[in-house]
Amino acid sequence: APRRSVLTLEMESPTLAPALRLNDAESRMIASNQTQRGSMARIVATVDPAPYIVYASSAGAGTFTFRSRIQDAPAPDCAARALGLADTAAGTFDHGGCRGKDILPNSTDHSYAAQYKVVVGERGTLGAEMSASAFTPQVALYRSNFSSVAFSAAAGVSGRSLLNATVSPGEYILVARSSGLTTGAFTLKTSFQTVAPLSCPVREIGLEETVEGTLASGDCALSDVLPGSASDAFVHRYQVAVTAAGTLRIELSSAEFVPVVSLRDAEGQTVGEEGGASLSAGVTPGAYVILVTSARPASGRYTVKTAFQPAEGDPAAGTARRW
């Protein structure tokens, strides 16, 4: 394709069952179409200036006619439109319009898409309903940095998808998509319901203790307990009282998610953070908080263990431990 274009491919045969497939130069499939014997397979796709590969095939041998044509498609305005918390937007997907890859960073999705900016002022449940008669609609919710929050599920009604997600104050992006490369009109509706602020408890843990727990849906997220965080990963907090200078060792393990453990002092400053098995940090007397979470939003069981090595020469050191 010499420039951004709409590419039309057709394969026709009176005796074969034509099948077409369009791939990019990295062999990623963009679209495919297979039809019955004596019919015509057709693909229409918006493509960028780049090489593409077309496969024309059939289960049997025989003659066929293959046609291709290309039409210029100037880049559209894919900027996010503002959408309220109880609002309705109507749109239409056309060939040559915005695609997922034009909106989402590092995406290769050629499906037609549109993005909407939603600003949330308080914690609550954000709902989105996308309806379309010409295709199966899909809607996804992202934070402003395009980290994923939630994806829609079919509503059990043809041409409708629903999304519900508990969100914290901030800016979000709703991305509406068509199924495959299908065009047509759609409607996107939003709703919002406030929820009571979460109680994010701080559990007690000793200097030499093993605790088992489970991260689960409904737990606080890192964004609920850490100012400025945009992470939706679930988190449990443990307070540990240190009575002497030394080294605090924390071991976090889970077979159900990738564990991340961090240690913070009474002022909320990070003393240490580690993904994986263990963390060791030098500490002085005071109260500290251990954050047990995951590398990505996930639930599952875990075990957290603490051990303490007093500093040499400390009057309260007692008997030194071997690590």
Side-chain angles (χ1 to χ4, degrees):
R3 60 189 65 85
R4 194 176 192 277
S5 313
V6 176
L7 175 65
T8 301
L9 307 170
E10 294 175 342
M11 179 184 177
E12 190 173 15
S13 172
T15 58
L16 301 178
L20 282 175
R21 175 169 172 157
L22 176 65
N23 281 19
D24 65 14
E26 284 73 44
S27 297
R28 294 182 293 246
M29 187 178 75
I30 296 171
S32 65
N33 182 237
Q34 184 172 356
T35 188
Q36 299 176 349
R37 186 173 63 180
S39 301
M40 181 178 69
R42 190 169 187 263
I43 290 176
V44 182
T46 301
V47 295
D48 298 308
Y52 294 86
I53 302 169
V54 181
Y55 295 93
S57 63
S58 183
T63 61
F64 66 90
T65 301
F66 175 76
R67 293 182 290 269
S68 67
R69 64 178 181 271
I70 195 164
Q71 299 169 291
D72 288 350
D77 179 9
C78 298
R81 300 170 176 83
L83 191 63
L85 293 178
D87 206 351
T88 300
T92 301
F93 293 136
D94 292 315
H95 292 305
C98 296
R99 302 158 298 173
K101 70 191 304 291
D102 299 318
I103 295 172
L104 299 171
N106 303 316
S107 173
T108 59
D109 181 18
H110 279 72
S111 299
Y112 296 115
Q115 62 171 326
Y116 299 86
K117 180 174 68 176
V118 179
V119 178
V120 176
E122 55 187 326
R123 181 179 174 82
T125 300
L126 176 64
E129 177 183 326
M130 185 179 178
S131 303
S133 59
F135 55 84
T136 301
Q138 301 166 352
V139 61
L141 180 66
Y142 301 87
R143 291 190 175 273
S144 57
N145 63 356
F146 286 104
S147 60
S148 62
V149 177
F151 297 90
S152 63
V157 177
S158 177
R160 188 158 66 106
S161 291
L162 301 176
L163 178 151
N164 285 284
T166 301
V167 294
S168 304
E171 185 177 296
Y172 294 83
I173 300 293
L174 278 168
V175 177
R177 290 190 184 92
S178 70
S179 54
L181 307 181
T182 314
T183 59
F186 67 88
T187 301
L188 180 64
K189 298 180 181 179
T190 56
S191 62
F192 185 79
Q193 185 174 358
T194 59
V195 297
L198 278 179
S199 173
C200 302
V202 180
R203 304 163 174 85
E204 298 291 334
I205 190 171
L207 287 173
E208 304 280 343
E209 190 172 354
T210 299
V211 174
E212 294 183 349
T214 301
L215 294 177
S217 176
D219 284 339
C220 291
L222 277 173
S223 57
D224 297 314
V225 301
L226 295 181
S229 173
S231 174
D232 292 302
F234 302 128
V235 63
H236 285 176
R237 298 188 294 175
Y238 293 89
Q239 180 170 284
V240 57
V242 176
T243 57
T247 301
L248 177 63
R249 183 181 178 89
I250 306 164
E251 295 184 356
L252 174 63
S253 60
S254 175
E256 300 179 17
F257 60 85
V258 179
V260 175
V261 61
S262 65
L263 181 67
R264 293 180 175 257
D265 61 20
E267 285 72 43
Q269 300 300 310
T270 301
V271 178
E273 183 171 50
E274 191 68 44
S278 64
L279 178 154
S280 294
V283 293
T284 56
Y288 295 83
V289 173
I290 299 169
L291 299 182
V292 172
T293 185
S294 57
R296 297 181 179 180
S299 57
R301 293 169 294 181
Y302 66 84
T303 300
V304 59
K305 300 179 181 180
T306 57
F308 183 69
Q309 172 75 43
E312 293 185 7
D314 192 299
T319 303
R321 297 188 56 199
R322 182 181 298 276
W323 296 95

